[in-house]
Amino acid sequence: MGARKKISADRRKEARKTMYFAKMNNVPTSPRKMRYVADMIRGMEVNKALGVLKFSSKEAAQRVEKLLRSAIANWEQKNERKAETGELYVTKIFVDGGAMLKRMRPAPQGRAYRIRKRSNHVTLFVDSKNTNEDQN
């Protein structure tokens, strides 16, 4: 690895130590459906977001709720204290497309239609409100 790349890699690694996130890979839901759920909680306070996800009728909401609880636990682990009400917020959440399973469905006159079973990767960042104000 070159010197410039090593310096930038070290800088990224140091910045990552102050970020609190959770990541879920290869979720067997289409990215479009998952983005709808992600848009519901983006920027929300954590306890309110958990309530929204708990009572949402979307199937993807259960998976995002589990991911959010994991991100909260990661924050608590790194800060060595419990999160208080109104302290943590969902700062960023994004959904990327994952691997696609390609299947064939029989069609009329000896043809076949392709079915694409999509998956996605979800990354969720949480942070406290006062940390965000210090940076700005």
Side-chain angles (χ1 to χ4, degrees), residues 106-122:
Q109 299 180 354
R111 295 192 193 98
Y113 294 149
R114 181 175 285 163
I115 297 174
R116 294 174 303 198
K117 296 190 175 196
R118 299 172 188 271
S119 68
N120 61 61
H121 310 310
V122 186

Side-chain angles (χ1 to χ4, degrees), residues 1 3 15 17 23 26 35 37 50 61 68 72-73 78-79 93 98 113 132 135:
M1 182 183 302
K17 286 181 182 175
K23 187 167 181 172
N26 297 319
R35 281 187 193 110
V37 173
L50 284 171
L68 180 55
I72 295 166
K78 281 188 176 179
N79 288 314
I93 179 171
Y113 294 149
N132 293 340
Q135 292 173 353

Side-chain angles (χ1 to χ4, degrees), residues 10 25 44 48 56 59 88 112 114-115 128:
D10 290 339
N25 286 331
M44 266 189 193
K48 187 176 177 186
S56 174
E59 186 264 340
L88 284 181
R114 181 175 285 163
I115 297 174
S128 56

Side-chain angles (χ1 to χ4, degrees), residues 16 21-25 67 92-96 121-125:
R16 203 126 196 214
F21 67 98
K23 187 167 181 172
M24 191 166 38
N25 286 331
L67 183 69
K92 284 193 287 189
I93 179 171
F94 53 89
V95 180
D96 299 321
H121 310 310
V122 186
T123 309
L124 188 145
F125 289 84

Side-chain angles (χ1 to χ4, degrees), residues 21-89:
F21 67 98
K23 187 167 181 172
M24 191 166 38
N25 286 331
N26 297 319
V27 183
T29 309
S30 82
R32 184 176 180 178
K33 292 175 184 174
M34 189 63 83
R35 281 187 193 110
Y36 183 75
V37 173
D39 290 342
M40 287 193 308
I41 66 163
R42 185 174 287 120
M44 266 189 193
E45 194 268 321
V46 165
N47 292 327
K48 187 176 177 186
L50 284 171
V52 167
L53 293 171
K54 179 86 172 160
F55 296 106
S56 174
S57 61
K58 300 283 183 191
E59 186 264 340
Q62 294 173 352
R63 299 174 195 270
V64 175
E65 181 186 359
K66 187 175 179 181
L67 183 69
L68 180 55
R69 289 185 190 280
S70 176
I72 295 166
N74 291 344
W75 185 90
E76 289 174 348
Q77 181 72 31
K78 281 188 176 179
N79 288 314
E80 298 174 348
R81 64 187 181 94
K82 288 282 188 186
E84 296 158 12
T85 305
E87 183 180 13
L88 284 181
Y89 286 81

